[in-house]
Amino acid sequence: MNPLSRYKPDRSLRRPAVRSSQVALWAAAAALLIAVGTLGAVLAASSVAHSDDSRARLAFSFSAAQVASTLKLAIQHEEDLVVAGRAFVVSNPRTSAAAFAKWAESVGALQRYHELQDIGLLVLVGDRGLRAFRARMLAHPILPFDRQPAESRGSFDVVPTGNRPYYCFAAAGLVRNPVAVLPPGLDYCALEPSLLSARDTAKSSYLPFNEGGVTTLAVQTPIYSTGVAPSTLTARRHAFLGWLAESLVPQVVLQTALAGHPKMAVTFRYRSDGSDVTFKTGVSSADAERLTIDLHNGWSVESTQSVASGGIFGDAQALTLLLVGTALALLLGALTFVLGTGRTRAMSLVREKTSELSYQAMHDALTGLPNRKLVIQRAEEMLARRGIVTAALYVDLDGFKLINDTFGHAAGDELLRVVATRLQNAVRQEDIVGRLGGDEFVVLLESPSGDSRPDLVAERLIELSREPVAVAGSDNVVTVSASVGIAVGPRTSVDELLRDADLALYAAKAAGKDRYMLFRPGLEVIGGVAAESRSLVAEPHPGA
């Protein structure tokens, strides 16, 4: 039932004569109504812009986590191939180029790993064994993926030239692109001395490399005949078989990770033990939101994206609301003036419309609950009463953002309406239940003797929040939980009361969610996480 239905125009009144004073009075009333309506439109548009901005930032965080997860899986995928290759070499320490290529094809190295440019085995050759190794490679050269005989295989010239006590050559491998086939006599140790360090430390090395105009990531992993790295340096050198070498195109992995995120830029970085390689894709602005996620093992990913809405005028929905609200305020003001000066019964219409606007300004449009403004007003009244114990319960739904992202905002709105009804049914009629915005609610309790037991109320609220909610118009059933922060007792201001309840809510979130926390002096928030300081005595209470 509409609470404004009792305000109806009295049609029995006769039309009085319109005087100049009445015109001025109605003009002033119309101007005031326009001002109030415009202010309401500005506040509503500002709230929408802020809400959209918050949703955009949350969506960015969720997308960044998805990208990081995809890249982490790609790293693990590559590590699986390295483990398999290492096991093959340990089992076949004198493997030929053909046998290695056959193994690589059998595991689908180039077919399953689209970012893989080539994979091979590097071996350490002493100067005395150079002639035999040259003859071996001339007889059995490394071929590209298409298995066609490579050109210019009639010689084996050491690159760079010069006599050295040892060389690092590719003994076997499989290459995707014939253009990327390197000279068979390329001495990798002469180009990258860190290979010997990797042999001695048993750690993989990551280096940027240019193959055929494509920037790749060269990964070398030492292999030992024992299968695992021996514990001593002497043992490692004695058991050393070679390096499993891979050449990857990180841009392929980045493009896969960014599928569905066209506005995001990513910086993929490896930094460990002297290696520092970075690969980037996408372009970000200076004011873009940034989120860095550590993938461990030296890898990290930084995602950037412009998510700021630019306020009311940068948000199409908020701007539309502002324009429509202002236009409606102007129209209502003009209508009030015309009807007020034309007929006396227009007064009833003005009262009705004013009451409706007042109600809308003090209540949440989605749930019908008191909004922040009305909650603060009611809390001030409670605190002003003598002999009354006031309690504030800050309620926040756990996992609500995921519901919005998974089932859409219509499902989220339906869930909020159901939760609002459950909260009202869980408290007394004289208690206040309000919505502060998003999925945040507040419950105000008062008791002359202090026996209202807000902790019991919190348990009821948490229990009710767990009940499944069927989304209207679909077969989806969603389930969430709630975290509750409680502040009880006298306060110098409403801000202090709500702040303490909010701190307790953060403590409940930090303690694992789906529970309530009672505020005690000394509870504060550090970096967005509730923490204890000084003489804090605050214990989490999981919901019953």
Side-chain angles (χ1 to χ4, degrees):
M1 179 178 180
N2 188 342
L4 303 177
S5 59
R6 62 180 180 276
Y7 299 112
K8 295 183 179 179
D10 187 352
R11 303 181 183 276
S12 64
L13 298 178
R14 297 183 178 181
R15 180 180 179 181
V18 179
R19 301 178 181 179
S20 58
S21 59
Q22 290 178 322
V23 172
L25 180 61
W26 285 109
L32 178 61
L33 189 60
I34 292 173
V36 171
T38 302
L39 178 60
V42 171
L43 294 176
S46 177
S47 176
V48 169
H50 178 73
S51 178
D52 289 347
D53 184 71
S54 298
R55 283 196 296 269
R57 293 181 187 279
L58 182 63
F60 163 71
S61 299
F62 184 73
S63 298
Q66 285 184 320
V67 170
S69 177
T70 301
L71 293 176
K72 186 173 183 178
L73 288 175
I75 294 173
Q76 294 173 347
H77 196 46
E78 295 293 342
E79 290 176 349
D80 293 340
L81 180 61
V82 170
V83 171
R86 185 167 54 198
F88 172 78
V89 175
V90 170
S91 301
N92 304 272
R94 299 289 295 174
T95 182
S96 64
F100 185 90
K102 184 176 180 180
W103 166 82
E105 291 180 351
S106 69
V107 298
L110 298 182
Q111 296 92 336
R112 294 170 54 203
Y113 299 80
H114 301 290
E115 69 278 5
L116 187 65
Q117 190 77 359
D118 56 66
I119 182 171
L121 175 64
L122 302 181
V123 296
L124 191 65
V125 179
D127 56 347
R128 295 182 179 181
L130 179 59
R131 179 177 296 180
F133 184 81
R134 177 185 287 113
R136 170 187 169 188
M137 296 311 298
L138 288 176
H140 303 285
I142 299 175
L143 300 180
F145 182 50
D146 57 9
R147 308 297 294 167
Q148 296 299 320
E151 298 179 359
S152 302
R153 293 294 183 179
S155 63
F156 185 97
D157 300 322
V158 176
V159 180
T161 59
N163 296 322
R164 292 180 286 277
Y166 54 82
Y167 306 87
C168 300
F169 296 127
L174 194 63
V175 182
R176 183 185 299 276
N177 186 0
V179 178
V181 176
L182 298 176
L186 179 64
D187 183 3
Y188 289 88
C189 284
L191 298 179
E192 186 49 58
S194 64
L195 282 174
L196 293 179
S197 175
R199 175 199 65 178
D200 293 342
T201 61
K203 294 182 179 180
S204 300
S205 63
Y206 297 82
L207 300 169
F209 196 72
N210 190 291
E211 293 186 29
V214 178
T215 301
T216 63
L217 178 65
V219 184
Q220 293 85 25
T221 303
I223 305 175
Y224 304 92
S225 60
T226 53
V228 296
S231 59
T232 65
L233 175 60
T234 301
R236 284 194 289 271
R237 290 182 176 180
H238 180 74
F240 180 70
L241 296 177
W243 298 269
L244 185 68
E246 294 180 295
S247 180
L248 313 174
V249 183
Q251 291 296 333
V252 175
V253 180
L254 291 175
Q255 290 172 4
T256 302
L258 286 177
H261 309 285
K263 298 181 180 180
M264 186 176 294
V266 169
T267 300
F268 195 33
R269 187 171 192 176
Y270 177 83
R271 179 189 290 176
S272 178
D273 298 324
S275 297
D276 192 351
V277 291
T278 301
F279 295 91
K280 298 181 179 181
T281 184
V283 180
S284 61
S285 59
D287 60 344
E289 190 80 3
R290 299 176 182 273
L291 181 61
T292 300
I293 298 177
D294 184 8
L295 303 182
H296 305 296
N297 297 327
W299 288 100
S300 65
V301 56
E302 180 186 66
S303 302
T304 58
Q305 182 177 333
S306 297
V307 298
S309 64
I312 295 177
F313 296 99
D315 188 307
Q317 184 178 358
L319 182 59
T320 300
L321 180 60
L322 175 63
L323 295 176
V324 172
T326 302
L328 289 176
L330 292 171
L331 180 61
L332 186 58
L335 182 63
T336 299
F337 178 77
V338 171
L339 294 179
T341 56
R343 294 178 180 274
T344 305
R345 68 169 181 266
M347 181 64 73
S348 299
L349 179 61
V350 171
R351 292 194 185 100
E352 180 181 336
K353 294 299 180 182
T354 302
S355 299
E356 184 176 352
L357 287 174
S358 177
Y359 179 85
Q360 293 174 355
M362 304 294 281
H363 290 77
D364 175 57
L366 177 64
T367 63
L369 295 177
N371 59 14
R372 179 181 292 272
K373 183 177 181 181
L374 185 55
V375 167
I376 291 176
Q377 178 179 321
R378 291 292 183 262
E380 289 175 344
E381 295 172 358
M382 289 181 177
L383 292 176
R385 298 190 185 102
R386 294 183 179 275
I388 297 295
V389 177
T390 303
L393 282 69
Y394 229 112
V395 183
D396 184 89
L397 301 182
D398 304 324
F400 175 75
K401 301 302 181 183
L402 182 61
I403 297 299
N404 262 346
D405 295 338
T406 304
F407 299 102
H409 292 289
D413 292 344
E414 179 68 15
L415 176 62
L416 290 175
R417 284 190 287 266
V418 172
V419 170
T421 301
R422 291 177 179 177
L423 293 179
Q424 287 179 303
N425 294 336
V427 299
R428 302 169 302 181
Q429 185 175 3
E430 61 268 28
D431 297 328
I432 303 297
V433 179
R435 182 188 178 204
L436 300 181
D439 59 332
E440 295 183 348
F441 299 83
V442 66
V443 178
L444 300 177
L445 309 175
E446 63 176 357
S447 173
S449 58
D451 58 354
S452 58
R453 292 299 301 275
D455 54 333
L456 297 181
V457 176
E459 290 182 358
R460 288 201 303 271
L461 300 182
I462 293 173
E463 183 177 358
L464 289 174
S465 68
R466 297 185 186 128
E467 296 181 4
V469 177
V471 179
S474 72
D475 297 329
N476 296 324
V477 176
V478 298
T479 304
V480 296
S481 61
S483 297
V484 181
I486 306 173
V488 184
R491 296 296 192 281
T492 58
S493 66
V494 174
D495 288 342
E496 182 181 357
L497 178 67
L498 296 181
R499 181 204 63 196
D500 292 347
D502 195 23
L503 286 173
L505 172 64
Y506 272 105
K509 289 281 189 182
K513 303 180 181 180
D514 192 23
R515 63 191 62 221
Y516 68 88
M517 181 73 78
L518 184 64
F519 176 83
R520 292 288 187 272
L523 191 64
E524 59 183 20
V525 172
I526 301 176
V529 178
E532 299 179 359
S533 67
R534 297 189 300 275
S535 59
L536 169 65
V537 180
E539 299 180 356
H541 303 270

